[in-house]
Amino acid sequence: MSTIPLTSPYSLKTATLTIAGDDFTAAVTQVEFQPSTSSSTVRTIGGDVYKDSAISEWSCAVGIVQDLHPSGLLRYLLDHEGEEKAVVFTPKVGGPGIAATLVMSPGAIGGTAGPDRTTASVNLAVVGKPVFVDAVAAPVVTSATPGGAAVGALVTIHGTGFTGATSVAFGAVSATVFTVLDDFTIVVSVPAGSAGSAPVTVVTPAGTSNALPYTRA
């Protein structure tokens, strides 16, 4: 028997919530995915008992601070009622993100008079089920050869995490021609620019790499 330690407990002290790519973090007070599962039991006259469970149906409880601005979450949920939107909930401490497709539904508008901000809660249906999105490390550049290359020359960049690279730059100038051979290798044509120091950086969806010192001809 293995002993599994507690290594990545969730902490919601800080988190982000995006809907269809827009960041609504500032208006959100709660995000909680809840499964609902029905079960059945059949007993025969012979004393046998058969149990089974249906596939879980999921919902997502979202607490919001009511914001009457046209671009606020309160108006967004009302304006897009019934539409399916991609949602990503990412605690910044203690765990991976959660991605799901949610059906938009409006929340309550208004509430009790008083000095506090008016809040609301809405349960959004989940299409299918939520999935964990493990963090992907930013790329790392370890070498670039040959050194001292001039404009148009081919340089091979080595490192890790290059899959899906969207940009390769020498200093402040991004290359227009480069090929990602695999997760560890990129071949790039040196872009136009002045001779001298031009640190090499690689950008992927996971982030921007370290700046590797490089001197171009």
Side-chain angles (χ1 to χ4, degrees), residues 12 32 63 67 73 76-77 83 85 117 123 136 148 150 153 170 198:
L12 299 185
E32 185 176 358
D67 181 0
L73 183 55
Y76 184 94
L77 294 173
E83 298 179 16
K85 299 292 184 179
R117 300 293 184 184
N123 282 313
V136 178
F170 286 76

Side-chain angles (χ1 to χ4, degrees), residues 35-50:
S36 176
T37 306
S38 60
S39 61
S40 65
T41 301
V42 176
R43 294 179 174 84
T44 70
I45 60 174
D48 295 320
V49 178
Y50 300 94

Side-chain angles (χ1 to χ4, degrees), residues 91-168:
K92 295 181 180 179
V93 179
I98 300 174
T101 299
L102 305 185
V103 181
M104 298 295 99
S105 180
I109 301 174
T112 304
D116 297 328
R117 300 293 184 184
T118 306
T119 61
S121 181
V122 58
N123 282 313
L124 305 178
V126 178
V127 179
K129 63 182 179 180
V131 295
F132 285 108
V133 181
D134 292 307
V136 178
V140 175
V141 177
T142 57
S143 67
T145 56
V151 176
L154 295 180
V155 171
T156 300
I157 300 172
H158 297 282
T160 60
F162 293 162
T163 299
T166 57
S167 174
V168 178

Side-chain angles (χ1 to χ4, degrees), residues 148-151 170-173 190-199 214-217:
V151 176
F170 286 76
V173 183
V190 178
S194 302
S197 176
Y214 187 87
T215 301
R216 53 181 295 163

